[in-house]
Amino acid sequence: SSRLYSRCLILYLSNFSQFIYQAPMTQEIADARSVVEAKEEAVRQAEETVRQRNEIALASSLNGTRQSGRRGAPRRDYGAMAGNGPSTTPDMEALDKARADLKTARDEAEDAAILLAEKNLVLDEFKDGKLITKDDFISHGKQCVKPGFDHYHNLFIDPSGDYYYLKRAYHTARIFNPRVAANLDINAINEAIDDLTVFKMPEFTPSFLQGMKAEIAAYKAAVDATALRNGTDCDFWSAVPGAAEYDKSLTAKIANNPEKYQGKTWLDDPVEKARRLWEWWRVQHGTFTYFSKAARLVVLVQASSCAVERVFSQVKYILESIGEGLEENIECRLMERFNRY
């Protein structure tokens, strides 16, 4: 993910100067587009004015015919209304003006459309093969990170992925952390119990899982009793064996190096956190039949290959120290080194 992020950043920086350079161009296009829209609206208004003036002139001409009884004047008025003759009334003069305004509006709208097309053509020629607009950057960024997301999906989300069941196992193991279980509801714990089958342990039979579900209410009450209260630990966590010594040591570290340790608590130390969580289970060992056994089984699962790698490192150290002539003693020496504490 960090490599993908770096790649996106480099591409962004390499195109940033081009992005800044074309910004005025895109602004000019936006302004030109606004002008075109305004001119088109002016054309629509001018067309409406012509229509209204035409109706008024027609009504005036018909009214004049009924009053005079003569046909000559109306004919001249009709010709003017069609744009084929001079205006003879104020209404016809207003119609002529509206027509002239409409022609002007259409000419201006056409000129604005031509200018917009020219600016779009210039920008298209400039941005050929470049990341120009915000949408271009977003689209390219998605293309850059998509392989990473696809890789994650194939490994962890797809049921056929290499780490799909590992992810499910990690997710369900959260219920054995009382700090996490305090924030889970009954349904979430119930679903996690069903998922314990991903560990493929023969002990996790349907009847065993049913026994765990029967203990959910009591387990939830126990974890809630030692949960955080208003962001502050209850007395339990500071009273577990070894907690006072650790807290005293941490206080000294804060005093000696406040920049590094100020604001730190035992929750920020993975080792001390795991130790106190295990102390919680030692206290609750006799309270739960099924939960306690399940926790002891799950905690034995190796979350990584670190333990195996440490064994290889010890074997390498032993061979370098004693040579290969005493290989029959390697297992004993290895056990002694791992169990000396």
Side-chain angles (χ1 to χ4, degrees):
S1 59
S2 61
R3 287 196 297 269
L4 289 173
Y5 175 79
S6 300
R7 181 184 174 194
C8 292
L9 182 61
I10 292 172
L11 288 170
Y12 176 83
L13 293 176
S14 65
N15 289 276
F16 187 66
S17 59
Q18 300 167 0
F19 181 77
I20 294 177
Y21 179 76
Q22 63 82 39
M25 300 170 62
T26 55
Q27 184 59 49
E28 289 178 5
I29 289 176
D31 294 341
R33 186 175 292 109
S34 298
V35 171
V36 169
E37 293 173 354
K39 295 299 182 182
E40 290 175 347
E41 179 60 26
V43 169
R44 287 190 290 270
Q45 294 178 359
E47 289 174 344
E48 178 62 20
T49 300
V50 169
R51 185 189 66 78
Q52 294 175 357
R53 291 298 181 185
N54 198 49
E55 292 178 353
I56 293 173
L58 178 60
S60 176
S61 177
L62 292 175
N63 185 50
T65 300
R66 286 193 295 270
Q67 290 181 357
S68 64
R70 295 182 292 108
R71 295 183 179 273
R75 288 194 188 98
R76 288 195 297 273
D77 288 346
Y78 278 122
M81 291 168 60
N84 298 323
S87 301
T88 58
T89 65
D91 292 333
M92 293 303 299
E93 292 176 356
L95 178 59
D96 287 343
K97 183 178 183 305
R99 285 171 174 165
D101 291 343
L102 174 59
K103 182 178 183 305
T104 300
R106 285 174 174 169
D107 291 342
E108 291 178 353
E110 183 179 356
D111 292 341
I114 292 173
L115 181 61
L116 175 60
E118 291 175 350
K119 291 183 177 297
N120 276 321
L121 180 60
V122 172
L123 180 60
D124 289 340
E125 292 176 351
F126 170 77
K127 71 178 186 178
D128 184 26
K130 303 182 181 72
L131 302 178
I132 298 299
T133 65
K134 177 182 177 181
D135 291 338
D136 291 338
F137 273 78
I138 293 176
S139 176
H140 186 73
K142 288 181 178 180
Q143 293 177 6
C144 289
V145 300
K146 187 176 184 301
F149 282 101
D150 291 342
H151 183 64
Y152 174 85
H153 182 277
N154 293 336
L155 288 177
F156 294 97
I157 307 301
D158 191 330
S160 62
D162 292 343
Y163 303 120
Y164 172 75
Y165 289 101
L166 179 62
K167 185 202 72 171
R168 285 182 59 189
Y170 172 81
H171 189 267
T172 191
R174 299 179 307 156
I175 61 172
F176 299 111
N177 183 342
R179 309 285 298 198
V180 176
N183 298 315
L184 300 177
D185 57 27
I186 300 297
N187 291 332
I189 297 177
N190 193 75
E191 293 175 359
I193 290 175
D194 288 332
D195 259 356
L196 283 174
T197 54
V198 300
F199 286 99
K200 301 185 183 302
M201 293 182 177
E203 292 83 358
F204 292 155
T205 62
S207 60
F208 184 93
L209 300 182
Q210 196 61 39
M212 287 186 66
K213 292 179 180 180
E215 294 179 343
I216 289 179
Y219 177 64
K220 193 73 170 79
V223 297
D224 288 344
T226 54
L228 287 174
R229 294 292 181 267
N230 298 321
T232 304
D233 273 327
C234 69
D235 294 337
F236 172 83
W237 298 103
S238 58
V240 298
E245 292 80 357
Y246 178 88
D247 294 339
K248 182 179 179 180
S249 174
L250 181 59
T251 301
K253 291 179 180 179
I254 294 174
N256 295 330
N257 192 349
E259 293 184 0
K260 181 177 181 180
Y261 294 102
Q262 189 65 45
K264 299 290 186 181
T265 69
W266 64 273
L267 290 171
D268 300 307
D269 185 341
V271 176
E272 179 63 14
K273 182 178 179 180
R275 193 189 66 79
R276 296 198 192 190
L277 292 177
W278 189 246
E279 290 294 339
W280 187 95
W281 278 106
R282 289 184 61 183
V283 172
Q284 302 292 341
H285 173 66
T287 306
F288 311 106
T289 301
Y290 296 97
F291 261 93
S292 294
K293 183 175 181 178
R296 283 180 290 163
L297 290 170
V298 169
V299 80
L300 291 175
V301 177
Q302 294 293 330
S304 70
S305 60
C306 292
V308 177
E309 292 171 3
R310 283 194 292 268
V311 171
F312 286 145
S313 296
Q314 292 295 328
V315 170
K316 180 176 180 293
Y317 175 79
I318 294 171
L319 290 177
E320 290 176 348
S321 300
I322 67 173
E324 299 182 0
L326 299 174
E327 292 184 3
E328 65 275 7
N329 295 325
I330 289 180
E331 185 175 350
C332 293
R333 290 175 178 271
L334 189 63
M335 292 183 64
E336 187 273 333
R337 289 187 62 82
F338 270 101
N339 295 283
R340 57 181 172 177
Y341 297 114

